[in-house]
Amino acid sequence: MQESTTYQAILEEGRRKGELEGQLEGEKRTVLLMGSGKFGPPSADVRAHFEGLDSLERLDALAERLWRAASWDELIA
């Protein structure tokens, strides 16, 4: 069974999903830490916004805008 292509595909899909989830969580944590240094601790609303993010592209865009934004609200607008 472990040699079947279907089994291997399922394992690979699970590995990719886990990898993406890890990347998302790591990038969320990084942007929140960097933003905290600039803007102060994020509000519950800002934290909720970040928890809802599921796109690396969106997180990358937030990371790029972090240095131009003047507040958490401006960053996530």
Side-chain angles (χ1 to χ4, degrees):
M1 179 166 154
Q2 291 181 351
E3 292 84 24
S4 81
T5 55
T6 302
Y7 179 80
Q8 292 301 318
I10 291 168
L11 285 179
E12 180 62 22
E13 182 180 336
R15 185 191 64 74
R16 281 194 311 266
K17 183 179 178 186
E19 191 174 278
L20 175 61
E21 288 174 4
Q23 287 176 312
L24 284 168
E25 291 307 311
E27 193 152 346
K28 287 176 192 180
R29 183 175 188 274
T30 298
V31 174
L32 284 168
L33 283 171
M34 292 170 59
S36 293
K38 183 173 181 182
F39 310 129
S43 68
D45 288 342
V46 170
R47 285 193 171 279
H49 177 82
F50 274 86
E51 287 302 316
L53 294 173
D54 62 357
S55 164
L56 283 175
E57 290 80 16
R58 174 72 175 136
L59 283 162
D60 286 343
L62 289 171
E64 288 175 4
R65 284 197 352 227
L66 183 64
W67 303 116
R68 294 188 305 271
S71 68
W72 282 113
D73 289 336
E74 188 178 319
L75 177 67
I76 63 174

